[in-house]
Amino acid sequence: MRADKGVNGVYLTVEQAMSVYPLSEGKLVAGTEGRGRIVKSVNVMDAPDITDWIKEGEMLFTTAFLIKDAPEDAAQLLHKLNRRGSSGLGIKLGRFWDVIPQPMVALANDLGFPLIELPYQFTFSDQMNGLFRAEMQRNTHALHTVVEKQKKLMRFALQSDHNRQLFDDMSGVIGYPIAIVGSKGQMVYNASGIADSLLLQGWPWLNRNQWMRIGQAQAFRVPFVKHQVNTGFALFFTSESIHMTIEEGLFYQAAELISFHMNFRYEDYFERSLHKDFGMLIKRYLNHGIAADVLADFAKKLDLELFEGEFLCALADFSCNGDMSSRQLLLERLKDEYLSHPAVQEMNGIHVVMEEGVLSIYPNGREERTARLTELLHACFNSMDIKGGELPKAAVGGRKSSLADLKGAFAEVKETLRMALELGIGEAVVFCHSLELAYIFEQVSPERMELYCNKILGKLLAKDSDSALEMLRTLEIYIESDGQVNEAAKRLFVHRNTAAYRIEKLSEMLEVDFKKINDLLRLKLALLFRQLLARDSAVSGSSGDSKKRLR
């Protein structure tokens, strides 16, 4: 007769089984050192060769009929059961033995093999059914606990507050202390109470799930994997002496959630530290705190190829109306957004929060990467979802070839961003080459600018009507779109034929040929002067005639 126990791998120990009625009416007379053995099943001894069929974790019940007259057989039985990994032997007294022989008790103690005196008034079926019911209750409770934890995990996963204490909260949900180790062996988080050096013994670890023991503690280790590359490990510490399959499944789920959140907040802990440290060096270099060769040496030591080929810079900033504390928080958020965006990460840039904004330096400044960068900057800006505030504006510089160009590149994007903000440029991402003329002609006197605007655009500015404003807007967008009718139509939200018709009418009105570079340059310069004059008027608060004429 055989009764298997264990649902999802949750088993009783001998000590726990002895507390289950009616086995609790019995007595553990020997082998108390083995009371922690796991009871996976119960079998009844009814054949001489029963030991050939015993499995690991199996407890054997007997009336001692087969060994009642052969003490040497009793000793041999204990040895065989112990070798087979049996969890214990229960002997029902009163039928063939009134007491278990002392040599058998002594041998069981020597072996640390549990020897149980079963109560006579209960049948083997009573004992086995009692254990089965206890096991079912235990498993039901364990499953209920895991289900409740899974519900908490789902609620945790759906929360959007990334500023909370991720690891503390996860440890609270799981109900066990956890530790997080980064892919480089750095201790990111440790709530186990065990020294970091002890936890990291045997590093580097194999990229697989594994139970591990550290002193008297035990932990289940789960690797984080992203794109088939290990990004760290989660360790779940449990005081339970039994490894439960359902708990392991819960640890897998928790590790996946941690890994998911770490991908955007903590997974690249080492990389973020590198960003911070090297970013500080760049900041010191730009502020004349260290020499270029010192910065180059550090880049080489950190295996950064940032300045070994072409690179480009981008500078982004917010207009917070003088609220510097709010601006600083927004700049830090923007930097986090860059570091959290997978596609931005793949560009291998360095991001530094400067007084002037967030400076980003990207290696390999090829033209296609520049176009891609524009898309990514727009995506990061929009994902910040700033309520009631303006999105940031960024200036992107031209490609540079060496570290010696870094200071010039920074000055270039800084100046471009200043002018873009002052001129009220509508685009969120502005390229330095688009404002080169503004930089060159910024010092031209307002009187000369006004004269030039009236000369080139006078016939259009003289008309004070909605249609004239519409035509002026069309001209501005057409010039900004580098003479591309389709692009201009898209930005104006009109049909291509409508845009083409307006441009043709402008050509007649202003007596220009849009196919000639000189005419396009003259128009571009006149429109630029209008922007500069409008900026100066806004700064001075003037409401003079020139402002009225140039609206």
Side-chain angles (χ1 to χ4, degrees):
M1 181 177 179
R2 178 182 176 86
D4 288 315
K5 308 289 187 231
V7 179
N8 292 326
V10 183
Y11 299 110
L12 293 170
T13 63
V14 171
E15 186 176 34
Q16 291 169 334
M18 290 298 298
S19 67
V20 176
Y21 185 85
L23 189 58
S24 58
E25 298 299 307
K27 181 181 179 182
L28 183 62
V29 297
T32 55
E33 290 183 3
R35 61 184 179 273
R37 296 193 183 200
I38 292 173
V39 182
K40 294 184 178 180
S41 61
V42 179
N43 206 342
V44 175
M45 183 177 176
D46 58 359
D49 60 345
I50 185 64
T51 54
D52 295 334
W53 307 99
I54 288 291
K55 295 182 178 179
E56 183 179 357
E58 196 165 50
M59 180 175 284
L60 185 63
F61 287 172
T62 181
T63 60
F65 172 76
L66 297 175
I67 56 174
K68 61 183 174 49
D69 299 321
E72 67 278 7
D73 289 345
Q76 188 177 9
L77 174 64
L78 287 184
H79 279 294
K80 286 185 176 181
L81 290 176
N82 189 54
R83 285 197 301 269
R84 301 283 293 186
S86 172
S87 57
L89 175 65
I91 301 177
K92 186 175 183 178
L93 300 180
R95 183 178 294 273
F96 300 107
W97 280 350
D98 292 327
V99 63
I100 299 175
Q102 187 58 38
M104 195 172 184
V105 172
L107 178 59
N109 280 325
D110 290 340
L111 296 174
F113 184 80
L115 191 58
I116 304 167
E117 183 180 294
L118 299 175
Y120 180 78
Q121 65 270 31
F122 298 102
T123 66
F124 289 157
S125 293
D126 293 334
Q127 310 282 0
M128 297 165 73
N129 287 335
L131 290 174
F132 182 79
R133 287 193 297 270
E135 194 68 10
M136 287 299 296
Q137 291 174 0
R138 177 182 169 87
N139 278 276
T140 300
H141 175 73
L143 288 171
H144 176 75
T145 301
V146 168
V147 168
E148 288 301 310
K149 290 181 178 180
Q150 287 175 330
K151 290 179 181 178
K152 291 180 180 179
L153 284 178
M154 290 305 299
R155 288 195 291 269
F156 179 88
L158 294 173
Q159 290 174 349
S160 59
D161 182 7
H162 292 291
N163 294 322
R164 64 186 300 171
Q165 296 296 316
L166 172 69
F167 301 130
D168 283 340
D169 292 346
M170 181 60 74
S171 181
V173 170
I174 293 296
Y176 297 108
I178 65 174
I180 305 297
V181 179
S183 60
K184 309 295 183 182
Q186 71 278 19
M187 188 61 67
V188 179
Y189 176 85
N190 183 6
S192 68
I194 301 172
D196 293 355
S197 58
L198 290 178
L199 286 187
L200 293 172
Q201 284 182 352
W203 181 269
W205 297 327
L206 296 176
N207 192 30
R208 67 185 184 193
N209 305 310
Q210 186 174 342
W211 282 98
M212 59 187 295
R213 181 165 289 279
I214 309 101
Q216 298 300 315
Q218 64 177 2
F220 190 62
R221 191 175 70 216
V222 184
F224 301 136
V225 179
K226 177 184 177 183
H227 304 314
Q228 299 181 342
V229 176
N230 177 274
T231 57
F233 292 87
L235 280 69
F236 301 89
F237 294 84
T238 171
S239 58
E240 298 287 339
S241 60
I242 304 169
H243 303 163
M244 297 180 291
T245 304
I246 52 175
E247 287 286 328
E248 291 180 8
L250 186 68
F251 296 156
Y252 294 144
Q253 295 178 34
E256 288 179 359
L257 284 177
I258 293 174
S259 180
F260 174 82
H261 283 270
M262 282 174 60
N263 183 34
F264 301 103
R265 286 295 181 267
Y266 293 96
E267 177 191 89
D268 297 321
Y269 177 88
F270 180 76
E271 296 300 329
R272 288 170 184 258
S273 297
L274 184 149
H275 268 272
K276 182 179 179 180
D277 296 342
F278 192 67
M280 289 300 297
L281 293 175
I282 290 177
K283 192 171 183 178
R284 289 180 60 191
Y285 170 70
L286 293 175
N287 291 327
H288 308 288
I290 60 174
D293 56 349
V294 175
L295 183 62
D297 287 342
F298 271 98
K300 187 175 182 179
K301 290 177 182 178
L302 295 173
D303 292 327
L304 293 174
E305 300 178 355
L306 198 60
F307 304 114
E308 293 186 5
E310 289 189 339
F311 68 92
L312 59 85
C313 292
L315 182 66
D317 196 10
F318 294 83
S319 176
C320 294
N321 299 320
D323 188 350
M324 297 305 294
S325 60
S326 296
R327 174 177 172 270
Q328 187 66 27
L329 289 175
L330 287 171
L331 292 176
E332 293 291 347
R333 275 188 60 192
L334 179 59
K335 178 182 175 181
D336 282 345
E337 202 67 45
Y338 289 159
L339 294 173
S340 302
H341 197 293
V344 176
Q345 289 179 353
E346 291 175 1
M347 297 190 74
N348 300 320
I350 292 288
H351 311 283
V352 190
V353 176
M354 308 280 294
E355 292 183 7
E356 296 82 358
V358 179
L359 174 65
S360 301
I361 307 171
Y362 299 97
N364 193 356
R366 293 196 302 265
E367 186 174 350
E368 60 270 21
R369 283 173 63 88
T370 304
R372 176 63 173 153
L373 178 60
T374 305
E375 298 175 12
L376 295 178
L377 289 175
H378 277 290
C380 288
F381 294 168
N382 292 328
S383 66
M384 292 187 70
D385 191 24
I386 301 174
K387 302 258 190 269
E390 294 184 3
L391 292 178
K393 189 181 293 294
V396 179
R399 296 193 295 272
K400 308 300 179 184
S401 59
S402 69
L403 176 58
D405 299 325
L406 179 57
K407 288 184 178 180
F410 178 53
E412 180 184 51
V413 292
K414 183 167 60 174
E415 192 65 21
T416 300
L417 186 58
R418 177 190 67 79
M419 297 197 68
L421 292 171
E422 290 181 356
L423 295 175
I425 302 295
E427 295 297 316
V429 180
V430 181
F431 287 89
C432 291
H433 63 76
S434 67
L435 292 182
E436 285 176 348
L437 290 178
Y439 178 73
I440 294 172
F441 291 100
E442 188 177 22
Q443 301 305 318
V444 175
S445 67
E447 293 77 15
R448 285 182 177 274
M449 291 185 191
E450 185 175 345
L451 286 172
Y452 191 83
C453 285
N454 288 331
K455 176 183 177 182
I456 304 299
L457 304 175
K459 293 182 179 180
L460 181 58
L461 296 175
K463 297 179 180 291
D464 190 13
S465 65
D466 291 339
S467 61
L469 292 176
E470 187 178 74
M471 294 294 282
L472 182 59
R473 176 63 177 162
T474 299
L475 177 62
E476 291 173 342
I477 296 299
Y478 181 68
I479 296 298
E480 288 178 11
S481 302
D482 294 327
Q484 301 295 320
V485 178
N486 290 338
E487 180 64 22
K490 186 190 304 182
R491 292 179 58 183
L492 288 166
F493 302 102
V494 298
H495 192 274
R496 183 189 187 283
N497 292 343
T498 301
Y501 172 77
R502 292 180 185 176
I503 292 167
E504 184 178 350
K505 298 299 291 182
L506 284 167
S507 177
E508 295 175 0
M509 181 187 304
L510 301 176
E511 299 178 359
V512 296
D513 185 348
F514 286 108
K515 294 181 181 179
K516 292 183 178 180
I517 295 178
N518 286 341
D519 285 357
L520 286 173
L521 183 58
R522 290 165 60 214
L523 290 170
K524 186 177 182 68
L525 200 54
L527 294 172
L528 171 62
F529 286 166
R530 288 190 72 255
Q531 288 180 313
L532 293 173
L533 288 168
R535 177 200 64 179
D536 294 342
S537 296
V539 171
S540 63
S542 171
S543 57
D545 293 339
S546 63
K547 183 176 179 183
K548 292 179 181 179
R549 287 197 300 271
L550 294 172
R551 279 181 179 173

